[in-house]
Amino acid sequence: MPFLRRRKHTDVSDSHIDNNENDDDIQEKSKRNRREERLRKWSCVDICCWFVGCICSIWWLLLFLLNAMPASFPQYVTEAITGPMPDPPGLKLQKEGLRAKHPVVFVPGIVTGGLELWEGHHCAEGLFRKRLWGGTFGELYKRPLCWAEHMSLDNETGLDRPGIRVRPVSGLVAADYFAPGYFVWAVLIANLARIGYEEKTMYMAAYDWRLSFQNTEVRDQSLSRIKSNIELMVTTNGGKKVVVIPHSMGVLYFLHFMKWVEAPTPMGGGGGSDWCAKHIKAVMNIGGPFLGVPKAVSGLFSTEARDIAVARAFAPGFLDKDLFGLQTLQHLMRMTRTWDSTMSMIPKGGDTIWGDLDWSPEGGYMCSAKKLKNNDTAGQNLNQSLSKSKGVNYGRMISFGKDVAEAHSSEVERMDFRGAVKGNNLANRTNCDVWTEYHEMGIGGMKAVADYKIYTTGSILDLLHFVAPKLMARGGAHFSHGIAENLDDPKYRHYKYWSNPLETKLPNAPDMEIYSMYGVGIPTERAYVYKLNTYSECHIPFQIDASADGGSEESCLKGGVFSVDGDETVPVLSAGFMCAKGWRGKTRFNPSGIRTYIREYDHAPPANLLEGRGTQSGAHVDIMGNFALIEDVIRVAAGATGEDLYGDRVYSDIFKWSERIDLQL
């Protein structure tokens, strides 16, 4: 019996062990299943989180190393790879014995000046005096709709919206850097400091670049501040006149200022007709859109430029989707159409300057000319390129269809859009998340715009009045885009004409000098091929047709955009015409014979990544770091004249193109 009991006990024990082993197997299988399930989940969420985490960790490690390494290490590495770097212009000219002489005034352009919040709505809590524009743009990512609301102006007045006050940042920091690591004026300021300039001899004429030029005075007294600061700098520097350096739209802003400061109060500054002669030595305009830019037209018409069209080509429909509750282009259009300053850059001079259906000053321009310059077979290729480029007519600023852009005017049937009825059979616009003025046009109005087929500069204003009536109603009170027949007509004393060089006279200051300094050698937007997109009434109906292409490397048409020579933003014609012809010598636009000079900078991209944005760049903003340009500026600030710089330096066909323009001088 004891034996039987032991055997029974043993059997029970073995059974218990087997059960335990089975339980362990089940638990192991369960763990394995859970592990496999977790791995399956990793494919959608965890892998993304780990990827972002790795990127952030690498970024912070690189940032730590950058701050930990000696300041001279990057230069040491660069010189070890590329050889010794040339001295910065400031150091070079300091060794030559140049010293600070004339006070310097910087006038920033559109978008490059910082804006900060002084009063806002509840969604902007905690942002008092934080930058909404410039800097890190952190609030754009955190609260995009709130940011767009506070960056917009009132759609009726063009001034502040109720409960919102956004104001320009003051001081040199207003526009030294646009964003961390992306310089605007910083390199020029640093080089001027090398020869002795400091805060008391440099002044950043910051202003709210969203406002119309006259409204910067109405709201902020910005023009009065510029006048007072220039007078103070002249007084405190022994009577030495200032050298003014405007950039981009700042060129038009300062042109407006020179008329404002002479004009009697209350419309003007009351400085008298000799104020500029007493206070300004030279105006050195960098990348000046004197006659406007085609880019402004595409921006107002469809919130596009070449880069947006390219993005659409790579990801069709992406920018039009309601991404995270933010319809990007619609919000951008609604915001930017409240910025009256954009009206200042609509092309001026109409068909006389920019060309008509069958003619343009740049006709025959060869987009491949720079490539063929050193080619042994250049003769044959040159003729082929010339024959192809003759078909390009830049006078057609907007064409609906590639075939329309290339056809002879006699072959194009057009239907006038001006009498079209708006609001015909449009779906209920309350279904649209973001309202734009296109929602009031209706399908009939949209089709009428496309049926007109070709828009020259002469009809662009009518087009914008049709598609953006509120913007044009405000802008028409502040800007004009024509050519004056008689500059002595009293109507031209109004401020709406002051920023148009074709409708105003330069100051009576024969000893003053005016420079036009800009980059060349970069394809620059000049005309567009559009298409009508009616797949949804809630979207912007007109788009650059990125599929329109010239079909060869030499073609000037790529991605729906016709290119011409320029600095990537401003065509040569706009930047150079006034100094090449309109103001050259004594003309009705320059009755005192102010000396004008053209200084072009042939674009050369950086040789490698270590060179950053390059020291020979001709691009619209990067040119601010161009060593040749900086040297020219420093020499003039130190007392040199245009003759000391050997007069004009020209690489483009600006003089030939200017002569083709039949303008009464």
Side-chain angles (χ1 to χ4, degrees):
M1 291 295 294
F3 173 77
L4 291 174
R5 280 198 298 269
R6 281 197 303 272
R7 179 62 181 268
K8 185 177 181 180
H9 177 72
T10 301
D11 292 341
V12 171
S13 298
D14 291 344
S15 175
H16 179 68
I17 290 171
D18 290 341
N19 288 336
N20 286 340
E21 289 177 354
N22 289 336
D23 289 343
D24 290 342
D25 289 342
I26 292 171
Q27 289 178 2
E28 184 64 30
K29 288 180 180 178
S30 178
K31 289 179 180 178
R32 192 160 51 246
N33 290 336
R34 285 198 298 270
R35 196 158 49 241
E36 290 175 357
E37 187 178 350
R38 281 200 303 271
L39 287 173
R40 283 195 297 270
K41 288 183 179 178
W42 267 66
S43 63
C44 47
V45 177
D46 293 345
I47 289 177
C48 292
C49 292
W50 272 98
F51 178 74
V52 172
C54 288
I55 294 295
C56 292
S57 299
I58 294 171
W59 170 255
W60 283 111
L61 177 62
L62 293 174
L63 195 62
F64 170 77
L65 293 174
L66 181 64
N67 287 294
M69 73 175 63
S72 60
F73 185 72
Q75 182 178 349
Y76 171 78
V77 173
T78 303
E79 291 185 354
I81 297 174
T82 64
M85 296 182 66
D87 285 339
L91 180 59
K92 172 189 171 184
L93 298 180
Q94 180 196 48
K95 292 177 180 178
E96 290 184 15
L98 270 67
R99 295 293 179 266
K101 183 175 181 181
H102 294 276
V104 172
V105 177
F106 309 114
V107 186
I110 191 169
V111 311
T112 54
L115 299 174
E116 60 187 17
L117 183 70
W118 282 82
E119 180 185 3
H121 294 162
H122 180 71
C123 67
E125 189 70 30
L127 297 181
F128 176 67
R129 292 204 64 199
K130 298 289 179 61
R131 287 201 183 196
L132 291 187
W133 189 270
T136 62
F137 286 91
E139 297 311 315
L140 170 59
Y141 310 123
K142 295 177 185 175
R143 343 178 191 186
L145 296 179
C146 182
W147 174 85
E149 177 186 0
H150 285 74
M151 282 297 298
S152 300
L153 295 168
D154 188 275
N155 211 20
E156 301 294 334
T157 65
L159 296 168
D160 292 327
R161 300 177 72 184
I164 295 176
R165 280 187 295 147
V166 175
R167 296 293 181 265
V169 177
S170 59
L172 295 177
V173 297
D176 54 352
Y177 288 91
F178 176 65
Y182 191 88
F183 69 82
V184 182
W185 294 92
V187 177
L188 179 55
I189 291 171
N191 279 278
L192 283 165
R194 292 271 193 177
I195 67 166
Y197 280 90
E198 52 188 298
E199 193 95 34
K200 67 182 180 182
T201 49
M202 291 190 288
Y203 167 61
M204 183 71 71
Y207 60 99
D208 190 336
W209 43 262
R210 302 171 302 162
L211 300 175
S212 69
F213 299 161
Q214 192 69 9
N215 273 344
T216 64
E217 174 66 15
V218 171
R219 195 193 72 179
D220 300 334
Q221 292 74 54
S222 295
L223 298 173
S224 293
R225 292 170 186 269
I226 296 173
K227 176 176 181 284
S228 298
N229 276 284
I230 289 177
E231 290 172 345
L232 178 63
M233 293 175 83
V234 171
T235 301
T236 56
N237 284 277
K240 296 182 180 67
K241 300 176 186 179
V242 300
V243 172
V244 184
I245 311 170
H247 174 244
S248 190
M249 192 186 75
V251 168
L252 302 179
Y253 187 68
F254 195 75
L255 193 62
H256 179 98
F257 169 83
M258 287 194 292
K259 295 302 294 183
W260 173 88
V261 76
E262 292 180 337
T265 57
M267 186 182 295
S273 60
D274 60 348
W275 190 94
C276 292
K278 290 180 178 178
H279 295 90
I280 302 175
K281 174 193 186 297
V283 183
M284 307 189 76
N285 302 290
I286 302 176
F290 288 105
L291 301 178
V293 287
K295 231 176 185 178
V297 175
S298 64
L300 292 173
F301 186 50
S302 61
T303 322
E304 284 183 294
R306 177 166 43 202
D307 47 0
I308 299 293
V310 169
R312 270 196 168 125
F314 278 109
F318 177 77
L319 288 172
D320 297 310
K321 290 181 179 177
D322 190 357
L323 185 64
F324 305 123
L326 180 65
Q327 289 174 297
T328 311
L329 292 183
Q330 285 86 334
H331 279 288
L332 191 60
M333 172 173 282
R334 189 174 182 182
M335 178 177 71
T336 56
R337 280 194 179 178
T338 67
W339 298 349
D340 289 350
S341 62
T342 56
M343 286 281 294
S344 70
M345 293 185 292
I346 294 175
K348 304 173 179 69
D351 295 354
T352 300
I353 299 293
W354 295 91
D356 55 25
L357 291 177
D358 295 312
W359 170 86
S360 61
E362 306 101 322
Y365 172 71
M366 295 165 290
C367 294
S368 60
K370 291 179 74 68
K371 297 178 186 176
L372 299 171
K373 194 174 291 185
N374 298 316
N375 192 335
D376 293 335
T377 60
Q380 180 181 354
N381 293 334
L382 197 64
N383 292 331
Q384 291 176 356
S385 299
L386 183 59
S387 64
K388 290 177 183 177
S389 61
K390 281 182 178 178
V392 177
N393 185 2
Y394 294 110
R396 306 180 186 194
M397 196 158 286
I398 288 179
S399 303
F400 277 88
K402 178 188 172 185
D403 55 336
V404 172
E406 297 174 344
H408 190 273
S409 58
S410 61
E411 301 172 1
V412 180
E413 294 183 7
R414 305 162 75 193
M415 296 179 62
D416 201 338
F417 65 94
R418 296 173 182 88
V421 178
K422 294 184 179 182
N424 185 23
N425 299 325
L426 181 66
N428 186 358
R429 74 175 189 229
T430 58
N431 296 328
C432 302
D433 294 333
V434 187
W435 175 88
T436 68
E437 288 179 287
Y438 280 124
H439 299 160
E440 295 183 351
M441 285 182 57
I443 300 298
M446 297 172 187
K447 190 174 183 302
V449 168
D451 286 343
Y452 193 67
K453 291 186 172 58
I454 300 175
Y455 294 85
T456 66
T457 309
S459 54
I460 284 293
L461 289 176
D462 290 334
L463 170 65
L464 293 176
H465 272 289
F466 190 77
V467 302
K470 289 189 177 181
L471 170 70
M472 297 300 288
R474 293 192 318 270
H478 289 272
F479 299 104
S480 180
H481 304 87
I483 300 175
E485 294 183 3
N486 178 14
L487 286 167
D488 294 322
D489 190 322
K491 77 174 186 177
Y492 292 111
R493 297 173 190 167
H494 192 273
Y495 58 75
K496 68 181 287 185
Y497 302 102
W498 292 347
S499 62
N500 182 356
L502 300 174
E503 294 183 303
T504 190
K505 298 178 184 178
L506 287 177
N508 182 23
D511 294 330
M512 192 171 84
E513 294 179 328
I514 293 181
Y515 297 79
S516 188
M517 312 167 75
Y518 53 89
V520 297
I522 309 178
T524 302
E525 296 172 42
R526 177 65 167 84
Y528 303 90
V529 175
Y530 267 85
K531 63 180 179 180
L532 175 62
N533 182 12
T534 57
Y535 68 87
S536 173
E537 295 89 347
C538 292
H539 290 78
I540 298 169
F542 307 109
Q543 292 181 5
I544 295 174
D545 186 359
S547 66
D549 199 271
S552 68
E553 284 295 319
E554 293 81 13
S555 175
C556 294
L557 174 61
K558 294 187 184 300
V561 179
F562 285 101
S563 297
V564 76
D565 197 7
D567 69 358
E568 203 171 31
T569 296
V570 183
V572 163
L573 187 68
S574 179
F577 173 78
M578 292 309 297
C579 281
K581 183 175 181 179
W583 290 332
R584 183 65 53 125
K586 284 191 176 184
T587 69
R588 65 191 184 106
F589 304 108
N590 180 18
S592 65
I594 294 173
R595 292 182 300 279
T596 63
Y597 301 96
I598 290 179
R599 304 289 290 176
E600 293 184 346
Y601 304 88
D602 199 15
H603 174 72
N608 52 65
L609 291 175
L610 296 173
E611 203 176 310
R613 288 155 62 193
T615 59
Q616 301 178 63
S617 175
H620 188 62
V621 177
D622 294 355
I623 197 173
M624 304 289 276
N626 184 299
F627 277 13
L629 179 141
I630 293 172
E631 183 173 332
D632 286 348
V633 169
I634 294 177
R635 288 190 183 279
V636 172
T641 65
E643 292 182 359
D644 296 328
L645 300 183
Y646 304 104
D648 299 321
R649 180 175 59 202
V650 177
Y651 299 98
S652 73
D653 291 325
I654 181 59
F655 285 110
K656 181 172 74 174
W657 294 343
S658 297
E659 284 306 311
R660 293 176 180 174
I661 295 174
D662 184 15
L663 179 67
Q664 178 193 347
L665 298 176

